[in-house]
Amino acid sequence: MISSIFPAVATYNLHQDILLVLKASPQIEVNFLHKLKITPPDCYEQVCKRWSEFKPSLIP
């Protein structure tokens, strides 16, 4: 099963793409996200700057 993700890992660009690997025994699902509107590093930077908007609010 692990060998099935090797082609995706070998071809993705960590500065441009997202490789999402989900494991639900016994299956592995690989999602290769590319041609994104915003690069992963830029997305991370924006989320960090606006973290208060992404924090879940606690409901009493």
Side-chain angles (χ1 to χ4, degrees), residues 35-51:
K35 296 185 181 178
L36 302 168
K37 300 228 181 229
I38 184 170
T39 65
D42 289 341
C43 179
Y44 175 79
E45 185 178 321
Q46 286 190 28
V47 169
C48 287
K49 286 180 181 175
R50 298 169 39 202
W51 184 243

Side-chain angles (χ1 to χ4, degrees), residues 9-20:
V9 171
T11 59
Y12 98 106
N13 177 337
L14 66 102
H15 299 290
Q16 297 288 328
D17 309 319
I18 295 174
L19 187 62
L20 180 63

